[in-house]
Amino acid sequence: MKTIIEPFRIKSVEPIRMTTRAERERLLSEARYNLFKLHSDDVIIDLLTDSGTSAMSAAQWGAVMTGDESYAGAPSFYRFEAAVRDLVGFRHVIPTHQGRAAEHLLFTLIARPGDAIPSNTHFDTTRGNIEAAGAEAVDLPIPEGRKPAIEHPFKGNMDLAALEAFLADHGPRTPAVMMTVTNNAGGGQPVSLENIRGAAKIARAHGKPLFIDGCRFAENAWFIKLREAGQGGRAIPDIVRDMFALADGMTMSAKKDAFANIGGWLAVNDDALAEAARTRLIQTEGFPTYGGLAGRDLDAIAQGLKEIVDEDYLRYRVRTNAYVTERLDAMGVPVVKPAGGHAVFIDARAFLPHIPPLQYPGHALACALYEEAGIRGCEIGTVMFGRKPDGTEAPAAMDLVRLAMPRRVYTQSHADYIVEAFEELTARKDALRGLKIVKEPKMMRHFRAEFEKV
Ligand code: F0G
């Protein structure tokens, strides 16, 4: 059969509250044109994030009931640890309440003021935690990664020549190399095994550890299976094991590729680093066998990790985004190509060329999509990345809108509704206006900034 169906049946549903355009215009204006300030029951299709929004399976809800809430040594922890280790292999697995807590733990331990940490592209919380430690977060994607319309099978790859040159120049102030799989900020694009191997080799030659931000590791492994020479016949868990065997450790948000609503971990091989991390964990997150999570969350993650590497699921998952991307492309909406693993990315700078980057075309498009159809997406562009640590503002490399697909939540007709919203927007896009920021916090301004239409 050609049709790739949702490989699940729906056992439990949540109603969606429908709204009118007039209501949405009022709600967005009251929210100061910041989509993060909306109440989620005022959103019809919520594509703000794929993080923590997965539909858990019956088996996960069953596992929740077996959760053991003991402070120390709960069986839930050992089931979690075994499930994580089975896929990633690291010696020490340290639970955290979500991915950024793992990043905070890692960077407060390894980064010092004046240091620099290169990556294919840091996610915003990773960047925030590196900068909070006084260090610099440096992005070294391949050039294709910054050109939305160019097709490349592994657009998330790191520019290895740039990494080599960076370490030659800045080796003494570089405590580690990072690699984000898939490359979320760069469009949900995958990284090849060959590229991870290359980065690991360069890092090792300079005596630096390689850490993988593994949030969407299963989607990355699926793309490796589909696109990398010699990988087509291999099982997903084996590809996953190969990816992590090249690294010295990882940070993880279990809110993505573990189908959990909360959770994460830091995993490392280095005994001394693990010891320091566990000591810090007790101060900030909790005892090392729960790390800020309930035992039931640990069990949901353990079960989710078994389900996430299922090929029928991954085939459907990646197809959902490819379907919307292809439909938008066919109607002339500029999209990041090929489709990423967890989201559809629209090139708002190309879609709305009359709005200059410092009037935030990505944000303008995200606001218009909400007003038009009640769909909530997220700007990944100059609002998110334009304010530099020295206080100056400059256009980001790209102005994208991300429509992130929650896992196992929406169906084909929701996808068609999204496409129809773009038909409507395309017809009146020249009338869309940019925005200006009237209030912003010091860091990660996109979450809480307030805007006015210009
Ligand atoms: N790294 C990447 C690549 C991410 O996408 C995220 C979160 C994190 C780290 C932090 O994990 O949320 O559990 O603390 N991304 C979400 C998103 C928020 O919408 O892309 P967290």
Side-chain angles (χ1 to χ4, degrees):
M1 295 295 294
K2 286 199 295 296
T3 306
I4 297 170
I5 61 169
E6 288 87 356
F8 48 80
R9 297 185 297 183
I10 297 167
K11 188 173 207 149
S12 179
V13 297
E14 277 182 277
I16 291 174
R17 191 177 82 79
M18 302 306 280
T19 50
T20 63
R21 169 185 262 281
E23 238 181 302
R24 292 191 294 269
E25 284 176 357
R26 176 178 56 77
L27 290 162
L28 191 57
S29 144
E30 285 168 6
R32 310 281 180 216
Y33 296 96
N34 188 328
L35 295 152
F36 287 97
K37 291 186 197 275
L38 289 172
H39 290 207
S40 62
D41 52 3
D42 294 331
V43 175
I44 294 177
I45 297 188
D46 203 347
L47 309 179
L48 186 63
T49 182
D50 63 321
S51 180
T53 52
S54 297
M56 292 218 295
S57 66
Q60 281 181 290
W61 285 112
V64 162
M65 291 306 293
T66 67
D68 180 304
E69 306 303 342
S70 303
Y71 187 90
S76 298
F77 170 75
Y78 296 104
R79 287 189 285 266
F80 160 83
E81 184 189 44
V84 174
R85 256 211 209 118
D86 177 50
L87 283 174
V88 303
F90 298 114
R91 204 153 47 231
H92 303 281
V93 180
I94 299 167
T96 59
H97 78 275
Q98 58 183 78
R100 65 198 71 183
E103 293 164 1
H104 182 71
L105 208 53
L106 178 65
F107 296 120
T108 50
L109 292 171
I110 68 166
R112 298 278 164 270
D115 282 357
I117 298 179
S119 172
N120 51 342
T121 305
H122 293 283
F123 184 66
D124 59 350
T125 59
T126 322
R127 173 173 295 279
N129 276 301
I130 290 172
E131 288 172 359
E136 189 190 348
V138 179
D139 293 339
L140 303 174
I142 56 169
E144 292 87 341
R146 285 189 166 140
K147 297 189 187 107
I150 290 192
E151 298 260 1
H152 185 289
F154 292 103
K155 237 175 158 172
N157 280 354
M158 172 122 67
D159 183 334
L160 297 181
L163 177 64
E164 177 66 61
F166 184 86
L167 289 177
D169 288 349
H170 303 281
R173 65 184 191 109
T174 304
V177 174
M178 285 291 289
M179 184 70 112
T180 312
V181 302
T182 57
N183 186 349
N184 180 5
Q189 300 291 326
V191 179
S192 69
L193 257 185
E194 191 191 6
N195 192 256
I196 302 175
R197 195 173 294 120
K201 199 171 154 203
I202 294 169
R204 212 140 288 149
H206 289 266
K208 310 296 176 191
L210 173 69
F211 290 96
I212 294 180
D213 172 343
C215 291
R216 298 175 182 85
F217 70 86
E219 290 165 11
N220 199 81
W222 176 250
F223 283 119
I224 287 175
K225 183 180 170 87
L226 290 187
R227 298 179 185 169
E228 190 156 346
Q231 300 297 323
R234 301 189 62 214
I236 295 295
D238 290 338
I239 297 175
V240 171
R241 289 179 194 117
D242 280 5
M243 284 162 43
F244 290 108
L246 293 163
D248 300 285
M250 71 182 295
T251 54
M252 176 72 188
S253 169
K255 302 172 75 171
K256 283 82 169 175
D257 273 359
F259 285 130
N261 300 130
I262 197 73
W265 66 81
L266 170 68
V268 298
N269 283 333
D270 183 322
D271 296 337
L273 181 58
E275 174 57 29
R278 289 197 177 103
T279 302
R280 183 63 61 87
L281 190 80
I282 293 175
Q283 287 164 9
T284 56
E285 291 276 293
F287 191 73
T289 60
Y290 74 86
L293 293 169
R296 54 180 171 268
D297 301 320
L298 294 166
D299 268 307
I301 295 169
Q303 175 59 29
L305 287 174
K306 297 191 176 80
E307 298 174 13
I308 201 81
V309 289
D310 176 68
E311 294 201 5
D312 291 329
Y313 161 73
L314 287 168
R315 181 177 298 108
Y316 137 81
R317 166 75 174 155
V318 164
R319 182 61 204 152
T320 311
N321 297 313
Y323 171 80
V324 175
T325 298
E326 284 164 19
R327 295 277 310 272
L328 296 185
D329 188 34
M331 72 170 83
V333 176
V335 281
V336 174
K337 292 194 276 190
H342 67 297
V344 173
F345 288 77
I346 294 102
D347 180 356
R349 199 178 283 174
F351 188 61
L352 303 173
H354 60 287
I355 301 181
L358 292 180
Q359 290 180 13
Y360 318 121
H363 191 60
L365 176 58
C367 287
L369 196 58
Y370 175 72
E371 289 174 336
E372 185 67 41
I375 298 167
R376 177 159 69 167
C378 181
E379 190 257 24
I380 300 208
T382 303
V383 175
M384 191 179 275
F385 298 120
R387 182 67 71 198
K388 305 296 162 202
D390 68 4
T392 58
E393 190 183 30
M398 298 185 275
D399 277 298
L400 305 178
V401 170
R402 183 185 76 168
L403 305 179
M405 298 292 167
R407 293 168 182 76
R408 305 191 290 209
V409 169
Y410 292 115
T411 65
Q412 170 84 36
S413 72
H414 294 111
D416 288 327
Y417 179 94
I418 297 164
V419 172
E420 186 183 331
F422 273 91
E423 280 165 5
E424 299 295 330
L425 277 185
T426 300
R428 56 179 200 85
K429 73 190 187 72
D430 295 339
L432 299 183
R433 285 179 288 153
L435 296 107
K436 65 174 186 221
I437 293 182
V438 291
K439 194 173 163 200
E440 68 177 87
K442 278 204 165 57
M443 286 180 79
M444 296 195 215
R445 64 179 181 172
H446 53 289
F447 290 124
R448 291 180 298 128
E450 298 183 1
F451 301 83
E452 276 170 13
K453 286 191 179 174
V454 294

